[in-house]
Amino acid sequence: MNRLTAKDWILITRRLTPYLFLLPALFILGLTVFWPALQAFYLSFTRYEYDLTQMPQWVGFANFQRLRKDPVFWQTLFNTLIYLVGVVPILVIAPLALAILVNQKLRGMNWFRAAYYTPVVISMVVAGIAWKWLYAENGLLNQLLKGIFPEGIPWLTSPRFALFSVMAVTVWKGLGYYMVIYLAGLQSIPSDIYEAAAIDGSDGIRKHWDITVPLMKPYIALVTVISAISGTKVFEEIYIMTQGGPRNSSKTIVYYLYEQAFSNLEISYACTIGLVLFLIILGLSVVRLAIDRQGGDNITA
């Protein structure tokens, strides 16, 4: 049997050293993320509710069968889909337009950047309460629209308007965040490209369609996936402003999970909903990683 030489020990030490530095982080992640996730996966196949002092009882796929027949779950899934369709396109297009606007070299433009970014640093609790006052029956919005709608609009109390009213808050809160991502991409585009395009007759708004949009495709794809993941996990706005009402019209899948776990104490059923949500977000995250890799290659090239 060959004995390890000093050179071999040095090579082994060099290879193991990075993993030794990673061990504390892996331990914390395992304790706070991986182990609870495995427990939630296990509880999805058990009955664990009401009396939490009792041990979970194995029931197999009973929770998934219940989920398949649950009309409220399908409604919340549909509401989440509507949320994505309504919010994501706006959060992809509008921040890009804002980024192009604030990327101009004009006096006082930094103040405009700060103004657009201000909603991002405001707590969602504060923002939700403020918008709830604006949406109130005698709130500012109904007062401004009093000449057109004398009786006012039931922004948060009507099944037709509740979900869309909350979506407006999500859009308002996210515009500045995605604007900064686009702004970073815009500032990485060399000005020589625009000057060459201007010689060829591509100037004004047309230059953004010919140059900015094609070169910003990695950032556009990234914002699309990030905003889709955020829209899938929306919770704070719903909890503060509508609590899923009226008649489940604004209830999203995350809020339904919270309701089952902490209001109804149906922990196993909530874990089943969480597993479905995890699979949805996992799919979006895989798309995001693929886009990040492709975008990184494009930017490097």
Side-chain angles (χ1 to χ4, degrees):
M1 185 175 179
N2 296 329
R3 296 182 61 183
L4 294 175
T5 63
K7 187 176 181 181
D8 294 332
W9 280 111
I10 292 174
L11 290 174
I12 293 173
T13 303
R14 287 180 178 176
R15 291 180 179 179
L16 291 179
T17 299
Y19 296 99
L20 292 176
F21 281 104
L22 288 174
L23 275 179
L26 289 175
F27 175 76
I28 295 173
L29 281 174
L31 194 63
T32 60
V33 177
F34 300 135
W35 177 245
L38 290 174
Q39 282 188 315
F41 179 77
Y42 167 73
L43 290 175
S44 300
F45 299 92
T46 65
R47 178 175 287 111
Y48 186 53
E49 54 194 22
Y50 308 124
D51 187 2
L52 303 183
T53 60
Q54 300 295 323
M55 293 296 294
Q57 298 178 357
W58 182 266
V59 295
F61 291 95
N63 290 321
F64 294 92
Q65 293 174 356
R66 175 186 171 185
L67 197 68
R68 182 171 58 87
K69 299 177 182 178
D70 186 356
V72 179
F73 168 75
W74 290 109
Q75 183 176 357
T76 59
L77 193 61
F78 178 74
N79 290 342
T80 304
L81 179 62
I82 294 295
Y83 216 96
L84 293 178
V85 173
V87 167
V88 173
I90 299 175
L91 288 179
V92 171
I93 298 172
L96 179 58
L98 283 178
I100 293 173
L101 179 64
V102 301
N103 196 39
Q104 307 299 318
K105 295 180 180 179
L106 298 174
R107 179 180 295 180
M109 193 55 68
N110 289 333
W111 291 101
F112 282 98
R113 294 179 184 177
Y116 288 127
Y117 193 76
T118 299
V120 180
V121 300
I122 296 175
S123 168
M124 180 53 73
V125 176
V126 175
I129 293 173
W131 277 88
K132 193 173 182 180
W133 287 343
L134 291 175
Y135 283 138
E137 183 178 353
N138 296 321
L140 179 61
L141 290 179
N142 279 333
Q143 293 297 324
L144 294 174
L145 298 172
K146 198 170 185 179
I148 305 175
F149 303 100
E151 298 180 358
I153 298 176
W155 299 102
L156 299 178
T157 57
S158 171
R160 291 189 301 168
F161 298 109
L163 185 63
F164 297 100
S165 299
V166 178
M167 286 163 57
V169 179
T170 302
V171 170
W172 172 79
K173 191 83 167 58
L175 282 176
Y177 176 75
Y178 299 114
M179 179 197 72
V180 171
I181 296 177
Y182 282 134
L183 192 59
L186 287 173
Q187 293 180 350
S188 67
I189 300 176
S191 59
D192 299 343
I193 299 177
Y194 290 108
E195 294 173 0
I199 296 175
D200 294 334
S202 180
D203 204 356
I205 298 178
R206 184 180 173 183
K207 71 179 180 182
H208 296 299
W209 183 257
D210 294 337
I211 299 172
T212 305
V213 173
L215 292 179
M216 291 290 290
K217 279 184 179 179
Y219 297 92
I220 293 172
L222 179 63
V223 169
T224 301
V225 178
I226 293 176
S227 59
I229 294 175
S230 299
T232 305
K233 299 188 297 183
V234 64
F235 172 77
E236 292 95 335
E237 301 95 310
I238 305 294
Y239 179 79
I240 295 166
M241 301 177 68
T242 65
Q243 295 191 346
R247 298 199 299 270
N248 299 325
S249 61
S250 63
K251 186 177 293 184
T252 58
I253 188 170
V254 174
Y255 187 85
Y256 189 48
L257 186 156
Y258 161 81
E259 188 178 61
Q260 292 297 320
F262 298 101
S263 297
N264 301 335
L265 291 180
E266 297 193 15
I267 305 299
S268 57
Y269 191 55
C271 289
T272 307
I273 299 172
L275 181 59
V276 174
L277 179 64
F278 166 76
L279 294 175
I280 295 173
I281 296 177
L282 178 64
L284 294 173
S285 299
V286 170
V287 173
R288 176 185 174 180
L289 290 174
I291 290 171
D292 285 345
R293 191 171 300 172
Q294 181 180 2
D297 294 340
N298 292 338
I299 293 171
T300 303

